[in-house]
Amino acid sequence: MMTTMVLQRIGAVLLTALGVGHLILITIFQGSKMLDWVTQGLWAAVPLKIGMQPTVEASQNAVVFWASVGSFAIPSILLGVLQWTLAGRGIAPGVWLGWAVTVWFAMLTLLLVPSPGILGVIAGIFFLVAARRARLMSRAEAR
């Protein structure tokens, strides 16, 4: 039987791997466009010209931005690392976190087919099970 810490860490690894994998793939496929931001200035990623019709290049820049640093990848990595750290300290996730991650990735998986987002759903389920086990263990200790 897996412990709460193991379940939590498996979920953390899944979230971190999804985020890192996403950033690696976008860098492989659109890295040259991201390097253009350095030469054009970071504001070239999402230009703030209000009221003007966006050019094709501006639209491509926006797509690459929202698929890279503006995507779910960085929050996913941060949440995965946080959960890994909390598991090491013996702090179980809240049930709310498990549900939030599960619903968030379920929506991503349904909207962006094909997608490895199912791994995020699995991570959320691991967090739900870890939270439930921690709650049951604390009730058993209280008796």
Side-chain angles (χ1 to χ4, degrees):
M1 195 178 236
M2 285 196 245
T3 66
T4 301
M5 183 181 87
V6 172
L7 291 169
Q8 197 171 347
R9 285 208 161 159
I10 292 171
V13 167
L14 288 173
L15 284 182
T16 305
L18 274 171
V20 169
H22 184 78
L23 289 178
I24 288 170
L25 287 175
I26 196 68
T27 302
I28 288 170
F29 292 114
Q30 295 293 332
S32 62
K33 189 56 111 173
M34 291 165 63
L35 286 176
D36 288 346
W37 298 342
V38 176
T39 59
Q40 297 173 7
L42 292 178
W43 291 111
V46 181
L48 299 175
K49 297 176 184 173
I50 300 172
M52 296 182 69
Q53 195 70 346
T55 64
V56 171
E57 183 179 343
S59 296
Q60 289 173 340
N61 276 335
V63 167
V64 172
F65 172 80
W66 290 112
S68 61
V69 295
S71 72
F72 75 93
I74 293 173
S76 181
I77 293 167
L78 293 174
L79 184 57
V81 170
L82 175 66
Q83 285 303 306
W84 182 274
T85 304
L86 292 177
R89 294 181 182 176
I91 302 170
V95 174
W96 62 270
L97 179 73
W99 280 113
V101 170
T102 302
V103 170
W104 178 33
F105 276 97
M107 286 181 7
L108 286 175
T109 302
L110 291 173
L111 295 173
L112 302 171
V113 177
S115 168
I118 191 68
L119 296 175
V121 174
I122 294 168
I125 291 169
F126 276 123
F127 294 151
L128 283 169
V129 173
R132 178 157 173 79
R133 286 205 177 155
R135 190 173 26 162
L136 291 174
M137 286 179 9
S138 67
R139 284 184 185 170
E141 290 173 1
R143 291 181 186 178

